[in-house]
Amino acid sequence: LIAIGCFCIGTNQVDLTYAASRGICVFNSPFSNSRSVAELVIAEIILLARQLGDRSREMHDGVWNKVSNNCYEIRGKTLGIIGYGHIGTQLGVLAESLGMHVIWYDILPLMPIGMSTAVESLDEVLAEADFVSCHVPETPETKNMIGARELALMKPGSYLINASRGTVVDIDALAASLKSGHLAGAAVDVYPKEPLANGPGFESPLRNCPNTLLTPHIGGSTEEAQRMIGIEVATAATKFVNTGASINAVNFAECDLRAIPSTDRTTVRIVNVHQNVPGVLRQINNILADYNVNKQISDSKGDVAYFMADVTVENSKDINTIYEHVTAIGENIITRVLF
């Protein structure tokens, strides 16, 4: 096994450190479902503003309840985005097209798109936004980043949307805020613990909370997104297998070399994964010293380093010699020779 493809954004189902230590490169799909998630959030903003979830459930129960109290247009309202990445930026563009004012907070300095405005802190987003939407990865820093304190900072009658990771929001605190009436509604697509298969048995404190939309982690579940995810992950994994390129890898340093011309019959590509300790590159380059090295690149991520070199080898027997010598290095994890 040399590569693993995760057909989603998240990779917490894979032990990334262990995979890297065995020379296994992990790829995911950080871009392909961005539009689908952004569109879902836009739909949820409108549904929450009009209390459509509750109205639909009432109609299915045979109850006619035509109300306008606490139902609003989203035009002119403020959307606060937490995490201004691929999804957050697309969400901001869509929200502005509907007449919303967009503010956002990210730990990185990023270029605003459209008329959106960056704010200096998470607390500022929470205090100013009518709708708050979370789009951050699952990290130790983002665990329960929206808890009782943060919910209390939100405007009375505001709404929270989480389509990022289930550990980002304290579900019990959110349920309490909804039941108390401090929040006017919420939409949640991800949960701290999710069922392994479709079927009955889902439990959550959010069930039956007022004006609360619960969906089964379907933010990226569209035909278009699934097709693009398949292409994106398969393309990255195939390129890694065939050329050694680790661009967009999750657990490897990202390295690539320009392609070897198809007419070049004497150049081979040496691809090596090794422990990131001093002296390994010197050993590899000593092995390659008698050959013409056309180009090479090396980078590291954590305890694992990645090395690529295109070497001119006139005698095919020398290829085996190079391979055997490199794999004999004590810190070697995996070595491949690509033609």
Side-chain angles (χ1 to χ4, degrees):
L1 181 64
I2 61 173
I4 294 174
C6 299
F7 291 82
C8 53
I9 294 179
T11 55
N12 53 348
Q13 69 273 40
V14 178
D15 188 330
L16 298 177
T17 302
Y18 178 78
S21 73
R22 301 305 296 263
I24 302 169
C25 194
V26 179
F27 296 94
N28 68 339
S29 179
F31 312 114
S32 295
N33 69 355
S34 301
R35 178 71 181 199
S36 294
V37 177
E39 287 187 3
L40 176 67
V41 173
I42 287 294
E44 290 173 334
I45 290 172
I46 297 172
L47 288 168
L48 290 172
R50 299 295 296 274
Q51 301 180 14
L52 291 182
D54 286 357
R55 298 295 84 77
S56 177
R57 179 166 52 185
E58 290 164 354
M59 292 291 282
H60 281 284
D61 291 338
V63 177
W64 183 276
N65 185 22
K66 182 179 179 180
V67 297
S68 59
N69 188 39
N70 295 322
C71 294
Y72 305 96
E73 294 180 354
I74 66 170
R75 179 180 53 178
K77 303 301 187 295
T78 298
L79 169 63
I81 300 173
I82 303 172
Y84 199 62
H86 304 298
I87 296 171
T89 52
Q90 289 210 33
L91 173 61
V93 171
L94 292 174
E96 284 190 346
S97 72
L98 293 171
M100 301 189 77
H101 171 56
V102 177
I103 61 175
W104 54 271
Y105 171 71
D106 199 289
I107 60 174
L108 299 175
L110 298 168
M111 178 72 69
I113 296 177
M115 298 297 292
S116 68
T117 304
V119 298
E120 295 184 358
S121 69
L122 172 63
D123 288 0
E124 191 172 346
V125 171
L126 298 173
E128 293 186 15
D130 300 300
F131 296 84
V132 173
S133 190
C134 301
H135 301 283
V136 296
E138 182 179 42
T139 67
E141 292 75 24
T142 62
K143 184 176 182 179
N144 288 334
M145 71 180 299
I146 305 296
R149 172 191 169 277
E150 290 73 23
L151 293 168
L153 291 176
M154 293 178 64
K155 296 165 63 174
S158 58
Y159 308 83
L160 178 70
I161 299 169
N162 184 23
S164 58
R165 287 291 174 262
T167 57
V168 170
V169 175
D170 183 334
I171 296 296
D172 290 317
L174 176 58
S177 188
L178 289 164
K179 291 174 181 177
S180 71
H182 175 64
L183 291 189
V188 178
D189 188 49
V190 289
Y191 309 88
K193 293 182 179 179
E194 298 182 355
L196 297 177
N198 291 343
F202 172 72
E203 295 293 337
S204 172
L206 296 174
R207 288 181 59 189
N208 299 314
C209 285
N211 198 24
T212 301
L213 305 173
L214 303 180
T215 49
H217 203 151
I218 56 172
S221 297
T222 63
E223 295 285 350
E224 294 87 350
Q226 293 304 302
R227 177 178 58 83
M228 289 189 290
I229 287 170
I231 293 172
E232 183 180 3
V233 175
T235 299
T238 300
K239 190 173 182 180
F240 175 74
V241 171
N242 291 336
T243 72
S246 58
I247 302 301
N248 294 328
V250 180
N251 64 334
F252 268 37
E254 296 187 60
C255 295
D256 195 9
L257 292 174
R258 65 182 182 273
I260 300 172
S262 58
T263 56
D264 188 343
R265 303 298 183 183
T266 60
T267 300
V268 297
R269 178 163 294 176
I270 308 299
V271 176
N272 172 262
V273 184
H274 58 265
Q275 297 171 26
N276 184 26
V277 297
V280 179
L281 284 179
R282 182 179 66 247
Q283 295 181 69
I284 295 176
N285 282 314
N286 284 341
I287 295 169
L288 301 178
D290 294 331
Y291 305 92
N292 182 35
V293 178
N294 301 319
K295 49 189 178 291
Q296 70 173 231
I297 186 172
S298 181
D299 200 353
S300 62
K301 188 170 187 176
D303 296 330
V304 176
Y306 193 49
F307 171 88
M308 300 172 65
D310 287 353
V311 184
T312 299
V313 182
E314 300 290 347
N315 189 336
S316 60
K317 293 182 180 179
D318 289 343
I319 298 175
N320 288 332
T321 301
I322 294 172
Y323 175 79
E324 290 171 358
H325 287 174
V326 174
T327 56
I329 296 173
E331 295 81 8
N332 174 74
I333 296 175
I334 281 182
T335 298
R336 296 192 292 144
V337 179
L338 307 176
F339 299 88

